[in-house]
Amino acid sequence: MPSLDHKTIIRSNRPFWDLELQDLFHYRDLLLLLLRRDFVTTYKQTIFGPLWVILQALMGSAVFTVVFSGLAGLSTDGHPAFLFYLSGTLAWQYFATVFGSGSHALQAHLGLFSKIYFPRLLPPLCDALSALVKWAIQLAVFFLALFLYNQSASADAQVLPRLEALLLLPALLLQSALLSLGVGFLVSAASVKYRDLAQIAGMFTQFIMYATPVIYPISQVPEAYRPYLAYNPLTFIVEGYRHLLLGHATAATPDYALPSITATLLLFLLGLIVYNKTQRTYVDYV
């Protein structure tokens, strides 16, 4: 909640670049309350609680290993199949979670938006921070699986993460958060007038997953089509995870990094501006 000596002035007409960022600091207590609410409502009255996050990561990667590596015979570029899919899922799941929440950021909080004022950026920001808990658990699961694999593998077959992983993984995580929020903002703002776009967001999530090297390496893509993968910002993010956690990856190069980072920043800024403009008159369309 804002401090007692803080005054909030609500204006009907403000420039589009006025994002009310200073109010985020004054309403930091509300952010903490929303984070606590999300955690409690997610795991309250469950049998396994946060263990569901671990089961989701393990079962998803196990299915990918059996189906795509075992039955379909897809290459994993020399990486252990289970670790290959586990690292791809780790990168993908955070994006999918934050994008899914961001694409309903306005609609899901209509009851609050129509009654009281608080910075409208708080709910999607809360979702992005809340998803960090799942990401951290899945990262711990990955390192546990990596440890168990190295214990049973020969010295030549062991997988050693790169030393710079501790520094660069947070940067990839930040890029993933900006990208998912930016695209989610655009969908949420557009679906204010066109409600069916929220349904398309679910289909888009499935499409973008198969357009991203989550379950296949780029080496399996024909060379004529590989340059097009650079236009997908998630390509560099997923490959960056594998480069840092598994030792090497095809697309962890400047040729993929520059378009990915540029597209991420543009989408985030565009989505932020459109979302900020739409939230001011959102209740008028409901």
Side-chain angles (χ1 to χ4, degrees), residues 92 95-107 124 175-191 197-198 200-205 207-208 231-234 237 260 262-275:
W92 165 257
F95 168 83
T97 300
V98 178
F99 169 69
S101 301
S103 61
H104 298 87
L106 290 174
Q107 296 81 347
Q175 183 186 352
S176 182
L178 295 178
L179 178 63
S180 53
L181 285 174
V183 180
F185 286 156
L186 291 173
V187 174
S188 181
S191 59
L197 289 180
I200 296 177
M203 300 170 57
F204 174 76
T205 303
F207 169 78
I208 198 67
Y231 295 104
N232 177 3
L234 281 170
I237 294 175
S260 175
T262 302
T264 296
L265 294 177
L266 290 177
L267 286 170
F268 176 71
L269 291 176
L270 178 62
L272 190 60
I273 292 172
V274 172
Y275 176 86

Side-chain angles (χ1 to χ4, degrees), residues 1-244:
M1 299 299 175
S3 58
L4 296 177
D5 59 346
H6 173 68
K7 295 182 179 180
T8 299
I9 301 176
I10 303 175
R11 300 183 178 90
S12 58
N13 294 317
R14 293 194 305 271
F16 68 88
W17 60 82
D18 184 4
L19 303 177
E20 304 171 298
L21 297 181
Q22 70 278 5
D23 285 346
L24 292 177
F25 174 77
H26 295 297
Y27 282 81
R28 59 190 181 278
D29 290 342
L30 177 58
L31 176 63
L32 295 176
L33 288 174
L34 291 175
L35 287 171
R36 182 180 181 277
R37 180 206 63 179
D38 285 354
F39 186 83
V40 171
T41 55
T42 300
Y43 300 113
K44 187 178 181 180
Q45 294 181 331
T46 60
I47 298 176
F48 296 109
L51 288 178
W52 284 115
V53 180
I54 299 176
L55 293 175
Q56 182 184 19
L58 293 176
M59 293 177 65
S61 299
V63 170
F64 288 156
T65 301
V66 173
V67 174
F68 294 104
S69 180
L71 299 180
L74 285 180
S75 169
T76 56
D77 274 359
H79 300 303
F82 187 77
L83 296 178
F84 176 86
Y85 294 118
L86 195 59
S87 61
T89 302
L90 174 66
W92 165 257
Q93 196 63 46
Y94 182 79
F95 168 83
T97 300
V98 178
F99 169 69
S101 301
S103 61
H104 298 87
L106 290 174
Q107 296 81 347
H109 300 88
L110 172 63
L112 288 175
F113 287 170
S114 60
K115 292 180 175 63
I116 61 173
Y117 169 81
F118 60 90
R120 302 324 194 200
L121 287 175
L122 274 183
L125 180 61
C126 172
D127 293 333
L129 293 175
S130 179
L132 287 176
V133 176
K134 294 181 180 179
W135 181 86
I137 294 174
Q138 291 178 338
L139 182 64
V141 171
F142 173 85
F143 280 117
L144 177 60
L146 178 64
F147 172 77
L148 294 177
Y149 171 81
N150 284 337
Q151 288 295 105
S152 60
S154 62
D156 295 336
Q158 289 185 354
V159 176
L160 300 177
R162 292 182 173 271
L163 294 178
E164 61 267 26
L166 293 177
L167 296 176
L168 297 182
L169 267 182
L172 286 175
L173 182 64
L174 175 61
Q175 183 186 352
S176 182
L178 295 178
L179 178 63
S180 53
L181 285 174
V183 180
F185 286 156
L186 291 173
V187 174
S188 181
S191 59
V192 167
K193 292 184 178 180
Y194 309 102
R195 299 295 181 88
D196 54 342
L197 289 180
Q199 304 299 324
I200 296 177
M203 300 170 57
F204 174 76
T205 303
Q206 294 298 318
F207 169 78
I208 198 67
M209 177 179 178
Y210 290 107
T212 303
V214 176
I215 56 177
Y216 58 86
I218 291 183
S219 62
Q220 295 294 296
V221 179
E223 291 188 11
Y225 298 102
R226 290 183 192 178
Y228 296 105
L229 289 175
Y231 295 104
N232 177 3
L234 281 170
T235 297
F236 170 72
I237 294 175
V238 173
E239 288 286 280
Y241 270 74
R242 291 197 176 116
H243 177 73
L244 295 174

